[in-house]
Amino acid sequence: MERLIMLGTGNALVTRCYNTCFAIQDDDEYFLVDAGGGNGIMRQLQDAGIPMEQIHHIFLTHEHTDHLLGMIWMIRMIATKMKKGQYEGNLNIYCHADLKDIILTITKRLLDHRIQFVPLHNGDTKHILDYDVTFFDILSTKAKQYGFTMRLRNGQKLTCAGDEPLNEQCVGYAESSDWLMHEA
């Protein structure tokens, strides 16, 4: 089954709902996009019926705390599950190289060798689950930030433009999208 699951909406200052993040389900595997602003990601995953053991791909758009801090908790929980033999395979974290360094600074003592970072460059295409996902620099003026575009199995096109309105220079990535996700 293929589903788009919203785990949070809002902005950096929300207090009564969870910050922006979503998952794409492909059969029994999940591709998580951002992780929100803290350990509330655990509750959001639980409420959505998403087992952490079935998340092997996570994309982080940028380093703002409302998108990044939940990732720290994800790494902590998944690394613990790996050490206990409760998580099979690798966790692949997709992000731009500068963001990788930020995450490593915070989590280096938690990491397991099966937690792997995939540094992204503008225009890179990666095969994630059953999808070819093309990542692009959204040309943010606030912080380096990436989005992505992909074709779902049902033929629809999904584009994630990150935390800002779509920059005119990135329209080519989003043209003809059936789903346009962004926080702005």
Side-chain angles (χ1 to χ4, degrees):
M1 173 177 22
E2 180 178 62
R3 292 190 312 157
L4 173 63
I5 304 164
M6 299 306 298
L7 297 171
T9 60
N11 62 46
L13 303 177
V14 297
T15 59
R16 299 194 191 275
C17 63
Y18 198 65
N19 297 92
T20 303
C21 62
F22 62 94
I24 298 168
Q25 180 182 4
D26 183 26
D27 294 325
D28 62 348
E29 290 290 320
Y30 297 86
F31 173 36
L32 181 65
V33 178
D34 286 331
N39 66 358
I41 186 65
M42 304 305 155
R43 175 65 182 263
Q44 295 305 105
L45 293 172
Q46 181 182 27
D47 288 350
I50 299 174
M52 196 174 308
E53 298 82 2
Q54 291 176 263
I55 299 171
H56 291 94
H57 302 276
I58 302 175
F59 168 62
L60 292 175
T61 57
H62 64 296
E63 74 262 16
H64 288 166
T65 57
D66 59 317
H67 295 258
L68 168 68
L69 293 181
M71 186 68 234
I72 308 313
W73 286 92
M74 292 296 295
I75 289 172
R76 179 181 181 190
M77 299 304 290
I78 289 173
T80 299
K81 287 181 178 293
M82 286 175 167
K83 289 177 181 143
K84 291 181 176 180
Q86 299 171 344
Y87 186 97
E88 294 182 20
N90 295 332
L91 171 63
N92 298 293
I93 301 170
Y94 304 85
C95 60
H96 62 76
D98 296 343
L99 184 49
K100 173 188 172 186
D101 292 341
I102 292 168
I103 297 167
L104 285 174
T105 298
I106 299 169
T107 63
K108 63 183 166 191
R109 294 186 182 217
L110 301 173
L111 293 178
D112 182 280
H113 71 281
R114 293 184 294 150
I115 297 175
Q116 301 175 352
F117 287 86
V118 181
L120 299 172
H121 300 93
N122 190 43
D124 282 353
T125 298
K126 304 293 181 188
H127 192 74
I128 300 172
L129 302 179
D130 284 333
Y131 310 103
D132 287 326
V133 181
T134 300
F135 297 92
F136 61 94
D137 186 332
I138 72 162
L139 306 173
S140 172
T141 58
K142 295 187 252 177
K144 187 172 185 175
Q145 186 172 165
Y146 274 51
F148 69 87
T149 190
M150 63 191 288
R151 181 80 48 192
L152 301 171
R153 284 190 312 196
N154 65 14
Q156 294 184 332
K157 183 177 178 181
L158 181 143
T159 300
C160 171
D163 198 355
E164 298 184 14
L166 186 66
N167 185 304
E168 286 187 28
Q169 295 179 52
C170 299
V171 166
Y173 289 106
E175 278 183 325
S176 303
S177 289
D178 297 286
W179 295 90
L180 179 59
M181 314 291 286
H182 60 88
E183 185 178 341

